[in-house]
Amino acid sequence: MKLAIGIDTGGTCTDAVLYDFDSQKIISHNKALTTYDDLTCGILEALDGLDPELCRQASVAGLSTTLSTNACVEGKFRRPRLLLMGIDRKGIQRFGADYGFTDPDDIRYLPCKTTITGQVLQEPDWDFLRSHAQEWFSDVEGCAICEIYGTRNNGILEKQAAQIIRETTGLPVVCASSLFSGLSSLERAASAVLNAGLLPLTRNFLDAVQTAFHDRDIHAEIFLVRSDSSLMGMQYSAEHAVETLLSGPAASALGGSSLAGQASAVIVDIGGTTTDIALIEDHAPLLSEDGIRVGQWKTLVKGLFASSFALGGDSAVRWDKHCKLTLGPDRVIPLCVLAERYPQIVPVLQEQVYRVPTHTLPLHEFLTLNRTDWRTLSLTEPEIRLCTLLETGPLNLQQAADALEIDKYNLHTQALERSGVILRSGLTPTDIMHIRGDYTRFCREASIAAARFAAQSLQMSLEQLCSEIYTQVSHMVFIAVSKMLLEHTSPYYRKHGFDEGMEQLLELQWNNRNNTEPSMLQYRFRSNAVLVGIGGPVHLFLPEASRALGAQCLIPDCAAVANAVGAITGQMMSSKSVEIRPHGLSPEDEEQGDFEASYGGDTRFFTEETDAIAWITEELRRDTAADLRAQGAVGALSFRVKQDDITVPAYSGLIKIATRITVTAETNLTLTTDEENCYV
């Protein structure tokens, strides 16, 4: 047997599988709660459900995680600050919002002058930076640096600024030019900011896995799923946290496709924090043409053509001032889970519901301390007092307000929640599952008490509340899948979004899903794609969404741990493209050739296009192989070469203006022989 361990750490659960590459089957699997205060505990609990002897025989391990995705969706990643060089405040005011920079005052600016070729005309005032660095970055946990033409001069100014900031502040620093080579400076800046904010999360996750493996005497080589569904090694992952933005959705697409055996499918992964949707064609996930956007941030990260939105088993059930039920986007710890760890909250919750049967505030929610390093942060005096109180255990909103001697309406915890210092616990779909008996692993009494308070505040029965929450989850999944398919079918919707008319049409289809009588106008969308459901609660919600779309629903065996399967069924991959243009004449010799090829700063001319293709192919082969080695690939490599004609419309039809050569280097986790020169 060729054994591998797959681990997926999500917002709610950590899953582990033991997989045999020879038979392509799951030997065993297990699920545990994700332990935010110490990820190692949850990983160990998941591993301990597998055969320990077989785990020690595993040669490789694949990881995936939604920690980065969830942090971005919820705005709870560690707070970094951006230093811009060569871009002033006016530029951010004009263009920054398109890339996620909505507050120009939160950025620091250091003037300099460089040319588009990277030549430095005027260096920054380094003494000014050295004297102001402590002041500029005293209230953040990391720094990202981006110089406008940093990719053209190997980031020389970024690196010097980074050295000064490290020396004066001790903060981790990320240089944009070291991550991506794209010319869009603001996309590089957004990618660097996210990388700086996500580095602590990713490194903490990797450290936790290594600690767990050491404790269980597991020596498997570790790889991590990146946003485009390929794999990267440990060392590379530790420096490129932003590449994990869609790690979880990518793993769910790979795992769902593998388990379902469908060549074309819509993979719907309903997790604890998010619902992720991806498309499969020819057994491979579809990739986005542009850099992915997560939340407000537009990046240069290559990733899936996927949708990830804040809906899951841990989505907060609340109500607005008009007594209208809301679901998400905030994630909270289900009260049934919190009560399992802190049983003392159950009588507190029951007493609170008895004394105050209804309220506009979510008085049933509790606050709990999440980060043990909170004393190292820059906090206000009330925040310090609250964290000190929470060290003894969770407090509900009224208890916290009373302890701080303030009115409950003045209890402001948003900053502490965004930084992950404290977490909320409240009513969620997971609690409703416990009430209905669909999932009963944790404390049902806490769920019932909170649901009664919510139902009374919403002026409905407990049964009505449970039914409405289930229906709303299915409804949101239907809308998201429909929009995903529309964007895939028509680039118009990808570019312009969905107007009120289209939103209304989708609502009509949902509202009439049970109507079988013929109508005067047939307007319903239908999909021939199979909707493959994965994730623990997917069987409760996807069938209704599939029926409204007229699509087949398939929930494969082991669907609850599909992400962990995807973590070890992917490949390591690097792809590069170059265009060869006809009729290029060498300025030195007009008779030298008619085909021009430029790569890596080297421009060459060829009399035959086949010679140009051969040179470019070999250059790309060498560099894609080097990329994979840098990412931790140790096995054999195979290469795919794709040749495309680039044409433009002309009076007589189409005219070829260039030939694009794309070389993709690949390897999977089962190959261990020397490098193979295999072209496809």
Side-chain angles (χ1 to χ4, degrees):
M1 292 189 295
K2 293 182 180 178
L3 298 175
I5 297 170
I7 295 176
D8 173 70
T9 295
T12 302
C13 291
T14 293
D15 303 332
V17 299
L18 190 60
Y19 187 83
D20 179 17
F21 280 122
D22 287 339
S23 63
Q24 296 186 355
K25 291 184 178 179
I26 299 172
I27 297 175
S28 59
H29 60 85
N30 192 36
K31 185 181 288 285
L33 284 179
T34 295
T35 48
Y36 278 90
D37 52 344
D38 184 357
L39 294 175
T40 304
C41 296
I43 294 168
L44 283 172
E45 185 178 346
L47 282 173
D48 287 344
L50 310 179
D51 186 305
E53 180 58 34
L54 292 180
C55 283
R56 287 191 286 270
Q57 296 177 29
S59 58
V60 292
L63 314 177
S64 68
T65 179
T66 58
L67 294 174
S68 294
T69 312
N70 298 344
C72 289
V73 169
E74 300 177 75
K76 292 181 179 178
F77 54 83
R78 303 296 172 85
R79 188 186 177 201
R81 176 160 288 135
L82 175 63
L83 173 66
L84 284 177
M85 305 168 71
I87 305 174
D88 60 18
R89 193 177 187 280
K90 291 181 180 179
I92 293 297
Q93 284 179 315
R94 186 174 180 182
F95 305 109
D98 293 337
Y99 301 89
F101 300 112
T102 56
D103 184 5
D105 292 332
D106 195 46
I107 298 172
R108 299 297 177 260
Y109 307 90
L110 191 64
C112 68
K113 288 184 180 179
T114 53
T115 67
I116 195 171
T117 60
Q119 182 182 1
V120 179
L121 301 180
Q122 178 184 327
E123 289 199 12
D125 186 337
W126 299 121
D127 290 336
F128 182 83
L129 174 62
R130 190 171 284 104
S131 62
H132 285 76
Q134 191 65 44
E135 171 195 346
W136 281 358
F137 304 104
S138 62
D139 58 340
V140 295
E141 297 179 73
C143 173
I145 304 175
C146 182
E147 191 263 305
I148 185 169
Y149 298 123
T151 58
R152 294 297 180 84
N153 56 27
N154 199 29
I156 183 172
L157 298 182
E158 292 179 357
K159 292 175 182 176
Q160 191 164 345
Q163 182 178 349
I164 292 173
I165 293 171
R166 288 193 190 99
E167 291 173 352
T168 54
T169 69
L171 291 174
V173 183
V174 172
C175 295
S177 62
S178 66
L179 294 174
F180 300 101
S181 58
L183 291 179
S184 172
S185 55
L186 292 184
E187 281 182 309
R188 277 189 287 114
S191 304
V193 167
L194 284 178
N195 201 68
L198 296 172
L199 274 178
L201 291 174
T202 301
R203 290 175 177 173
N204 185 36
F205 172 54
L206 296 175
D207 289 344
V209 173
Q210 287 181 302
T211 300
F213 278 18
H214 181 268
D215 287 352
R216 296 299 182 262
D217 196 27
I218 298 172
H219 303 284
E221 180 140 14
I222 299 173
F223 298 86
L224 181 61
V225 178
R226 65 202 302 181
S227 295
D228 64 358
S229 78
S230 65
L231 303 174
M232 53 184 173
M234 279 278 288
Q235 185 174 353
Y236 188 88
S237 303
E239 300 299 329
H240 295 75
V242 71
E243 295 272 11
T244 69
L245 276 174
L246 294 184
S247 173
S252 69
L254 291 168
S257 176
S258 175
L259 293 175
Q262 297 290 320
S264 299
V266 181
I267 308 296
V268 182
D269 179 6
I270 302 179
T273 306
T274 62
T275 293
D276 305 318
I277 305 170
L279 303 184
I280 299 292
E281 285 191 354
D282 296 327
H283 296 284
L286 285 185
L287 301 183
S288 175
E289 296 177 358
D290 304 315
I292 62 175
R293 180 184 286 274
V294 178
Q296 71 187 59
W297 304 99
K298 188 176 187 308
T299 74
L300 285 169
V301 178
K302 293 181 180 179
L304 296 182
F305 175 56
S307 173
S308 182
F309 62 103
L311 172 70
D314 294 355
S315 295
V317 175
R318 291 175 178 146
W319 49 96
D320 61 21
K321 62 182 179 181
H322 303 295
C323 288
K324 181 180 178 182
L325 177 69
T326 64
L327 187 57
D330 292 341
R331 173 197 176 272
V332 296
I333 302 171
L335 281 165
C336 57
V337 174
L338 187 72
E340 196 73 18
R341 184 174 181 182
Y342 300 100
Q344 67 268 25
I345 76 165
V346 175
V348 174
L349 180 60
Q350 292 171 335
E351 174 66 17
Q352 178 265 309
V353 174
Y354 173 77
R355 288 189 296 105
V356 186
T358 68
H359 206 280
T360 56
L361 290 178
L363 297 182
H364 61 286
E365 293 186 351
F366 282 76
L367 304 175
T368 182
L369 192 64
N370 180 52
R371 288 179 60 178
T372 57
D373 65 343
W374 64 268
R375 286 185 172 82
T376 66
L377 307 177
S378 178
L379 303 180
T380 65
E381 191 274 334
E383 290 174 337
I384 293 172
R385 288 175 58 202
L386 178 58
C387 290
T388 303
L389 290 168
L390 293 177
E391 284 186 319
T392 61
L395 298 174
N396 69 15
L397 301 189
Q398 187 66 63
Q399 287 176 319
D402 291 344
L404 294 174
E405 298 180 334
I406 60 174
D407 190 275
K408 55 182 172 289
Y409 288 97
N410 295 325
L411 181 64
H412 303 301
T413 61
Q414 294 88 342
L416 289 173
E417 292 181 62
R418 280 196 302 269
S419 60
V421 173
I422 64 173
L423 297 177
R424 281 202 184 217
S425 178
L427 186 65
T428 68
T430 298
D431 290 292
I432 304 304
M433 294 176 211
H434 278 72
I435 295 172
R436 283 194 155 191
D438 292 321
Y439 180 60
T440 56
R441 180 175 176 178
F442 303 107
C443 179
R444 188 168 181 262
E445 290 77 10
S447 301
I448 293 173
R452 282 177 175 160
F453 175 67
Q456 290 163 181
S457 298
L458 286 161
Q459 300 178 9
M460 62 174 66
S461 69
L462 181 61
E463 292 74 16
Q464 286 176 315
L465 174 70
C466 294
S467 177
E468 178 63 26
I469 290 171
Y470 268 38
T471 300
Q472 191 160 328
V473 173
S474 296
H475 171 227
M476 293 172 73
V477 171
F478 162 76
I479 295 295
V481 171
S482 299
K483 289 182 175 180
M484 184 79 171
L485 291 172
L486 280 168
E487 288 181 351
H488 174 57
T489 304
S490 173
Y492 173 87
Y493 293 107
R494 204 178 310 165
K495 180 178 180 181
H496 299 286
F498 298 88
D499 60 19
E500 188 176 345
M502 181 56 74
E503 297 274 4
Q504 181 63 25
L505 189 61
L506 292 176
E507 288 297 326
L508 282 172
Q509 177 156 338
W510 172 259
N511 293 332
N512 291 323
R513 66 191 182 281
N514 297 318
N515 186 4
T516 58
E517 297 181 4
S519 62
M520 297 181 67
L521 177 63
Q522 299 299 317
Y523 57 84
R524 294 188 177 187
F525 297 108
R526 289 290 183 266
S527 175
N528 292 325
V530 177
L531 269 59
V532 176
I534 61 177
V538 70
H539 64 286
L540 301 173
F541 309 115
L542 188 60
E544 181 78 355
S546 301
R547 189 162 60 86
L549 195 57
Q552 179 185 350
C553 177
L554 173 62
I555 300 174
D557 293 338
C558 301
V561 293
N563 280 35
V565 176
I568 35 88
T569 54
Q571 290 185 314
M572 302 192 74
M573 184 186 308
S574 176
S575 185
K576 294 181 182 293
S577 299
V578 169
E579 292 180 4
I580 299 170
R581 296 192 171 271
H583 307 300
L585 297 179
S586 169
E588 290 82 14
D589 185 354
E590 293 186 358
E591 298 180 358
Q592 184 171 345
D594 293 330
F595 295 93
E596 176 185 349
S598 297
Y599 183 69
D602 186 9
T603 300
R604 298 192 183 188
F605 298 85
F606 301 86
T607 56
E608 299 292 338
E609 186 180 35
T610 54
D611 294 334
I613 292 173
W615 177 70
I616 281 297
T617 299
E618 188 58 32
E619 291 294 304
L620 294 180
R621 177 189 175 282
R622 183 195 66 216
D623 282 0
T624 53
D627 274 359
L628 284 189
R629 298 305 182 200
Q631 294 169 27
V634 294
L637 305 183
S638 62
F639 299 85
R640 288 187 289 113
V641 180
K642 184 181 179 184
Q643 180 175 326
D644 296 304
D645 290 341
I646 301 175
T647 60
V648 295
Y651 177 75
S652 58
L654 296 174
I655 295 178
K656 176 180 174 180
I657 62 171
T659 299
R660 179 187 293 116
I661 303 297
T662 302
V663 173
T664 303
E666 297 174 324
T667 185
N668 59 47
L669 299 186
T670 63
L671 298 177
T672 57
T673 59
D674 293 334
E675 182 175 338
E676 300 169 350
N677 296 320
C678 176
Y679 288 93
V680 180

